[in-house]
Amino acid sequence: MRRSLMTCLVCASVLLSGCAATGEPKSAGRTAAVSAPSRLWPGRTAPPQPTEPPAAVDTPKPLRALPRVWSGDMRRVPALDVARAVDEGCRAAGRAPCPMETPQYRDLTGDGKDELLLGVASGKTSLSLRAFTVRDGVVTQIMDAGVTPSSVELSGRDVLVREPASYAGYDLRRVYTWDAHLQVMNERVTEYVRR
């Protein structure tokens, strides 16, 4: 009888003490009431969203003024003719020669045929960076990026551009890669890197 009375008293004291046993959770006290976030500076509004898609997400542009290239070989079309078809500075007659960098040929799309990569200077520091392929016999522009490069590189099928950033000691690095879905060279990576 004494033993069962002791057992009942121990059980009652455990029940009354709640979760205070060793290794078990204890109450942290009263919690603050939950409320909805309050907006600071409600007069400030977000800038309007751009109405045009970003330049990197472009569409292929056929250049129908150029002769057909049924072989699919981009090298069969003079690079200067391609530059004149898209760049006003190269088109104007009687002006200085087209400020075009040495044309580069590389398989950018992975189809086994070289594309043409052109850089045409625009002002002292800017460069119009463009790439072209042949699709169904038509020269087609697949990249159009205005950059201010400190360097332009080709790595495999990627076009890498480094530009001075507004932050001291950093460059902006952009990587353009073939996007099979959009059928253009798309800006895949944009990052800040130390010089």
Side-chain angles (χ1 to χ4, degrees):
M1 181 84 172
R2 248 184 170 177
R3 192 171 244 185
S4 64
L5 182 60
M6 278 299 259
T7 305
C8 285
L9 286 174
V10 169
C11 287
S13 67
V14 168
L15 286 173
L16 290 174
S17 67
C19 299
T22 306
E24 293 187 22
K26 294 182 182 178
S27 172
R30 300 186 81 190
T31 58
V34 177
S35 64
S38 60
R39 184 173 175 184
L40 302 179
W41 311 295
R44 295 182 59 84
T45 57
Q49 293 298 312
T51 55
E52 297 177 14
V57 182
D58 212 346
T59 56
K61 295 176 185 150
L63 305 179
R64 301 196 188 281
L66 291 171
R68 292 264 179 161
V69 186
W70 296 114
S71 67
D73 184 359
M74 192 65 230
R75 292 175 185 265
R76 306 230 7 151
V77 182
L80 184 57
D81 290 355
V82 177
R84 285 182 175 146
V86 295
D87 197 287
E88 204 167 300
C90 294
R91 198 178 307 140
R95 295 182 66 187
C98 177
M100 183 175 70
E101 300 291 338
T102 305
Q104 301 295 316
Y105 293 91
R106 178 72 62 94
D107 179 9
L108 299 173
T109 64
D111 65 355
K113 294 182 180 179
D114 284 343
E115 276 67 47
L116 168 64
L117 185 66
L118 280 182
V120 177
S122 172
K124 291 183 179 178
T125 57
S126 297
L127 190 72
S128 294
L129 191 59
R130 297 182 173 113
F132 304 88
T133 192
V134 177
R135 180 175 296 154
D136 299 324
V138 178
V139 175
T140 303
Q141 185 173 340
I142 57 171
M143 179 181 175
D144 186 1
V147 296
T148 312
S150 52
S151 71
V152 178
E153 299 174 316
L154 288 170
S155 176
R157 294 184 355 224
D158 293 342
V159 179
L160 290 73
V161 178
R162 282 182 84 126
E163 301 177 79
S166 53
Y167 303 110
Y170 284 87
D171 281 341
L172 188 62
R173 180 176 172 265
R174 301 177 193 272
V175 180
Y176 296 88
T177 303
W178 175 246
D179 185 320
H181 176 68
L182 295 173
Q183 294 288 294
V184 293
M185 294 293 289
N186 208 347
E187 189 175 333
R188 179 177 54 86
V189 175
T190 305
E191 62 186 355
Y192 288 96
V193 292
R194 284 190 178 276
R195 286 188 189 146

